[in-house]
Amino acid sequence: IGIINFINVMITGVYSRRRELAVMESVGMTKKQVSKMLTFEGVYYAIITTILTMTAGNGILYYLSQNINTIADYAQFQYPTVLVISIVVALFAICTVVPRIVYKTVSTQSVTERLREAE
């Protein structure tokens, strides 16, 4: 659900900023530079999410692991290291690829056509 929400936010964000991105291109920014800028925004989202997960999420997980013995004496907690690493890698991959794909689909027209369309 979170991945779908992120993709939806990126589509909405790039689509609503079409005019702004077209203006940037009209004053000299290349499509590659705009794509790079959007990719960095995605990386920033991934970094913020990773930091929140590793601090607050791990704190909650630690609290639950300490109290799991009171619920079930037979339960044993093991930190899901491989799962967490794979989720962080997938998060960074999605956050870097999705903005580029969205921008490529939005910027198929020329700059002038996009500026006229946004008016």
Side-chain angles (χ1 to χ4, degrees), residues 13-74:
V14 171
Y15 190 75
S16 66
R17 293 170 49 193
R18 288 181 297 167
R19 182 176 169 91
E20 174 189 336
L21 298 173
V23 169
M24 290 174 138
E25 283 185 48
S26 71
V27 295
M29 201 169 189
T30 64
K31 283 188 177 193
K32 187 175 181 179
Q33 289 172 328
V34 173
S35 179
K36 195 176 196 179
M37 178 188 72
L38 292 173
T39 301
F40 279 125
E41 287 180 11
V43 169
Y44 294 143
Y45 286 135
I47 290 171
I48 291 168
T49 303
T50 302
I51 289 170
L52 288 174
T53 302
M54 291 303 173
T55 55
N58 281 338
I60 293 169
L61 193 59
Y62 177 76
Y63 174 76
L64 291 175
S65 71
Q66 295 298 314
N67 294 320
I68 197 94
N69 289 335
T70 60
I71 297 170
D73 294 332
Y74 57 87

Side-chain angles (χ1 to χ4, degrees), residues 48-107:
I48 291 168
T49 303
T50 302
I51 289 170
L52 288 174
T53 302
M54 291 303 173
T55 55
N58 281 338
I60 293 169
L61 193 59
Y62 177 76
Y63 174 76
L64 291 175
S65 71
Q66 295 298 314
N67 294 320
I68 197 94
N69 289 335
T70 60
I71 297 170
D73 294 332
Y74 57 87
Q76 184 181 17
F77 177 77
Q78 291 181 340
Y79 187 78
T81 307
V82 175
L83 181 64
V84 170
I85 291 171
S86 60
I87 288 173
V88 169
V89 168
L91 176 71
F92 273 88
I94 291 168
C95 288
T96 56
V97 171
V98 168
R100 286 182 181 218
I101 293 171
V102 171
Y103 177 66
K104 283 184 181 181
T105 58
V106 169
S107 67

